[in-house]
Amino acid sequence: GAVVSQHPSRVICKSGTSVKIECRSLDFQATTMFWYRQFPKKSLMLMATSNEGSKATYEQGVEKDKFLINHASLTLSTLTVTSAHPEDSSFYICSAELAGVASDTQYFGPGTRLTVL
Amino acid sequence: KQEVTQIPAALSVPEGENLVLNCSFTDSAIYNLQWFRQDPGKGLTSLLLIQSSQREQTSGRLNASLDKSSGRSTLYIAASQPGDSATYLCAVRRRGSSNTGKLIFGQGTTLQVKP
């Protein structure tokens, strides 16, 4: 089946540093990838939609200069949290949409736990 | 604006019991509805996907129904097992949007099945 990986699975960083999270579709091509954020005991909140070769579409209230998204190939999207602060600590999950499939199913990665000290 | 609500937020049942999780949505113009399972600190596993034209989907001990007119979906779990303990999320996908991939998630129901 379709597998999505994320790297790293968890990261701890100091306040003010930048952190890059990778999302890869391992066995399929994904024209669209999505980035979500999840707070403890809360639901997933869509941050942005990433299309290969074009600029990401950010949801209302999400700072595009804070959360940089690059979708350079059909199998890789990256999320960079710039100048991270403790309030950016969260669980970040990506998903990838199988290109050309009528069901338009999204396949989710295992998530990345970010802790900013 | 589409809103998705799941009730109850938490549920604890003894092993072997049949149970129903509820999901409601405010806008019936959906493309599909999906149920996911999330284990603590993990990503999402898709359980069942129901297209807007369908009424229900079944997989093993799981059965999901969809009633678009009333804006409701249920996930029925038969003969629950301790391994079913997890958070269950429902999500609806919008229809007719320029960003048709967008999923709107409910807050989830955390299920505990006691041995």
Side-chain angles (χ1 to χ4, degrees):
Chain A
V3 178
V4 176
S5 71
Q6 281 184 241
H7 178 79
S9 58
R10 59 177 63 233
V11 56
I12 301 173
C13 68
K14 293 182 179 180
S15 185
T17 60
S18 294
V19 176
K20 179 184 286 189
I21 302 170
E22 293 185 347
C23 177
R24 293 182 185 272
S25 55
L26 297 184
D27 49 2
F28 66 99
Q29 293 185 331
T31 52
T32 305
M33 289 184 172
F34 304 86
W35 286 96
Y36 296 84
R37 182 173 180 176
Q38 186 177 33
F39 291 100
K41 298 188 185 298
K42 299 291 185 182
S43 188
L44 277 72
M45 180 191 76
L46 180 66
M47 299 174 65
T49 303
S50 168
N51 291 295
E52 186 265 339
S54 63
K55 290 183 179 181
T57 302
Y58 290 82
E59 294 299 304
Q60 190 174 9
V62 178
E63 299 176 58
K64 61 180 181 180
D65 295 329
K66 172 77 172 175
F67 299 99
L68 301 179
I69 292 173
N70 182 275
H71 194 159
S73 76
L74 287 173
T75 59
L76 174 64
S77 176
T78 60
L79 167 67
T80 301
V81 183
T82 61
S83 187
H85 290 282
E87 58 265 30
D88 298 324
S89 298
S90 190
F91 193 56
Y92 293 87
I93 304 177
C94 73
S95 69
E97 195 163 84
L98 197 55
V101 175
S103 64
D104 297 322
T105 300
Q106 290 184 26
Y107 296 91
F108 285 79
T112 296
R113 172 75 59 191
L114 170 64
T115 303
V116 185
L117 302 177
Chain B
K1 179 185 176 183
Q2 178 72 273
E3 293 183 1
V4 181
T5 304
Q6 290 185 246
I7 296 174
L11 181 64
S12 180
V13 300
E15 182 178 3
E17 192 164 296
N18 302 326
L19 58 101
V20 175
L21 307 180
N22 298 292
C23 173
S24 61
F25 46 94
T26 55
D27 187 346
S28 61
I30 64 172
Y31 186 75
N32 60 36
L33 183 145
Q34 201 163 357
W35 283 93
F36 295 89
R37 169 184 173 139
Q38 185 177 31
D39 292 289
K42 304 293 184 181
L44 275 65
T45 301
S46 179
L47 298 174
L48 291 165
L49 183 150
I50 310 176
Q51 300 293 349
S52 63
S53 58
Q54 297 175 324
R55 283 281 194 170
E56 65 178 344
Q57 283 286 332
T58 299
S59 176
R61 293 182 293 108
L62 306 180
N63 176 276
S65 69
L66 174 63
D67 183 343
K68 275 200 316 177
S69 61
S70 66
R72 295 184 180 186
S73 175
T74 61
L75 178 66
Y76 175 82
I77 302 177
S80 58
Q81 303 170 357
D84 295 330
S85 299
T87 296
Y88 291 81
L89 296 160
C90 75
V92 299
R93 180 170 173 151
R94 302 191 305 190
R95 173 185 291 281
S97 163
S98 60
N99 181 5
T100 55
K102 182 174 179 177
L103 294 178
I104 309 296
F105 282 85
Q107 308 95 317
T109 294
T110 299
L111 171 66
Q112 181 184 34
V113 181
K114 297 180 178 179

